[in-house]
Amino acid sequence: SEPGMELNAASPGGKRPENKDEEKVQDPNTGEAETKAEMGNKTWADLAGEMKTFLWNPEERTCLGRTAKSWGLILLFYFVFYTCLAGMFAFCMYVMLLTLSPYTPTYRDRVSPPGVMIRPYLNGFTIAFNISKRSTWQPYVDSMHHFLAAYDDKVQEEKNIECISGQYFIQGGNESEEKKACQFKRSLLQNCSGIEDQTFGYSRGQPCILLKMNRIIGYRPGAGVPVSVDCKVQKGNESDLRSVDFYPGNGTFDLMYYPYYGKITHVNYTSPLVAMHFTDVKRNSLVPIQCSLHGKGIVNDVNSDRFLGRIIFMLSIGK
């Protein structure tokens, strides 16, 4: 055969590689295969030994690939770095707290006018019981006694002072000074005080429910005129609610209990209450009742907030 024919048979390009290294360059798959073969030949003991050496190399005296000096430098760096971050954070918090008062919130435009809440409040806003079954109304009675414990006449006489009715009790001086609080005795609630009738009318099917306004620091409700309360059937037949008595007086929040100066300085402050005595409600029926505040600056018609200036609850009295 001819020499040119032999050369072509030796390599597709017509040129034979001169050495083995050139063969490896031309065929990279060969090197990968050899590497995989070498790794495949390692036993678990070899791998464990390599891991042990990585964790601590006695010859180079390194731990996880770093010497003691290297570890010391990197730990020092992170210590200084995070110390500076903590110092910056503390400084920012300190500057921010300097602008705030612990006695009066800086921004109060989103908390007035006030919302209202009722007592007793046990299982949501449904007060349901049967007159003949004491176990159904006793929890409400217990809740009322527990809530009114702070309003006992003796407690109020010891901690608070008598104030002039019909005017705001404005107290000057430094805002950090402790403020005096006006007495609100539970005896003012008369038939709903739990003094003469220990069951607050529940045993007779004439329950008492207490209404209180949420506390707002510095707020003066009614703009000089006491805020009043009324109740009606929220939806349905208005004759389902035939009679409601209000205490004290005609169901108003006296101005002398305002303004409120906050829990830090107004330590003994007890929120004024209005008791609603439902003396004639349709029996064996679920009656939706809405009790609302009325006065200048009071908002009670926002459908998206059922607690703003009003409250809606269900009253069901069974025989």
Side-chain angles (χ1 to χ4, degrees):
S1 61
E2 297 180 2
M5 302 267 311
E6 294 178 359
L7 181 61
N8 293 336
S11 65
K15 184 179 179 181
R16 182 188 301 276
E18 295 180 359
N19 51 51
K20 294 183 178 180
D21 294 335
E22 189 175 350
E23 289 182 359
K24 292 181 179 180
V25 172
Q26 292 179 355
D27 189 3
N29 295 331
T30 303
E32 294 180 3
E34 291 178 356
T35 303
K36 292 180 180 179
E38 291 176 359
M39 293 179 64
N41 292 332
K42 292 183 178 180
T43 63
W44 286 105
D46 296 333
L47 295 175
E50 291 179 0
M51 179 59 69
K52 182 179 180 181
T53 303
F54 174 70
L55 294 175
W56 171 249
N57 189 332
E59 296 179 358
E60 300 180 2
R61 302 186 67 80
T62 60
C63 178
L64 300 178
R66 290 183 179 274
T67 62
K69 180 180 179 181
S70 177
W71 277 114
L73 290 174
I74 196 171
L75 291 176
L76 177 63
F77 168 77
Y78 280 111
F79 173 77
V80 174
F81 176 71
Y82 284 111
T83 300
C84 292
L85 283 181
M88 292 176 61
F89 176 77
F91 177 74
C92 291
M93 290 294 295
Y94 173 74
V95 173
M96 184 189 71
L97 291 175
L98 288 178
T99 65
L100 302 177
S101 171
Y103 308 105
T104 305
T106 304
Y107 302 103
R108 291 176 288 170
D109 57 324
R110 300 189 64 182
V111 294
S112 59
V116 294
M117 191 59 182
I118 59 171
R119 291 292 186 278
Y121 177 74
L122 296 179
N123 301 313
F125 294 96
T126 299
I127 299 177
F129 62 94
N130 292 327
I131 302 173
S132 59
K133 296 182 180 179
R134 186 185 186 92
S135 60
T136 61
W137 50 260
Q138 188 62 47
Y140 297 114
V141 173
D142 294 339
S143 176
M144 293 280 280
H145 279 295
H146 178 74
F147 177 73
L148 289 175
Y151 292 85
D152 285 343
D153 289 17
K154 291 184 179 180
V155 174
Q156 289 293 311
E157 290 171 359
E158 291 175 359
K159 294 184 177 181
N160 299 331
I161 64 172
E162 293 185 4
C163 299
I164 301 175
S165 178
Q167 65 182 40
Y168 295 120
F169 184 30
I170 300 175
Q171 304 178 60
N174 193 294
E175 65 177 358
S176 63
E177 294 180 4
E178 184 173 332
K179 309 300 182 183
K180 298 178 181 179
C182 297
Q183 296 177 3
F184 189 98
K185 301 178 181 179
R186 67 187 296 175
S187 58
L188 294 174
L189 301 177
Q190 300 179 34
N191 293 339
C192 288
S193 64
I195 298 175
E196 294 182 2
D197 181 3
Q198 293 285 320
T199 67
F200 298 95
Y202 283 84
S203 62
R204 296 179 284 107
Q206 297 179 338
C208 288
I209 297 176
L210 306 178
L211 183 76
K212 75 180 190 72
M213 283 195 288
N214 294 341
R215 299 179 181 181
I216 301 176
I217 296 177
Y219 182 63
R220 304 179 189 181
V225 179
V227 174
S228 61
V229 180
D230 75 349
C231 297
K232 62 181 180 180
V233 175
Q234 191 261 340
K235 184 183 295 185
N237 193 341
E238 295 183 0
S239 63
D240 290 348
L241 179 60
R242 291 179 284 269
S243 177
V244 185
D245 294 333
F246 296 94
Y247 309 105
N250 55 352
T252 59
F253 292 93
D254 200 300
L255 299 180
M256 65 180 177
Y257 299 106
Y258 304 97
Y260 169 61
Y261 289 95
K263 65 179 180 180
I264 296 179
T265 55
H266 227 157
V267 180
N268 296 323
Y269 181 84
T270 44
S271 299
L273 307 171
V274 167
M276 304 170 294
H277 194 189
F278 294 91
T279 55
D280 193 356
V281 182
K282 184 179 179 180
R283 302 292 174 85
N284 299 316
S285 180
L286 190 63
V287 181
I289 297 175
Q290 174 178 295
C291 294
S292 306
L293 302 179
H294 295 278
K296 189 174 182 179
I298 296 296
V299 178
N300 58 19
D301 56 357
V302 178
N303 294 328
S304 59
D305 191 344
R306 60 180 294 183
F307 303 106
L308 183 61
R310 63 173 180 168
I311 193 165
I312 300 171
F313 56 94
M314 302 292 180
L315 190 58
S316 177
I317 303 173
K319 297 179 180 180

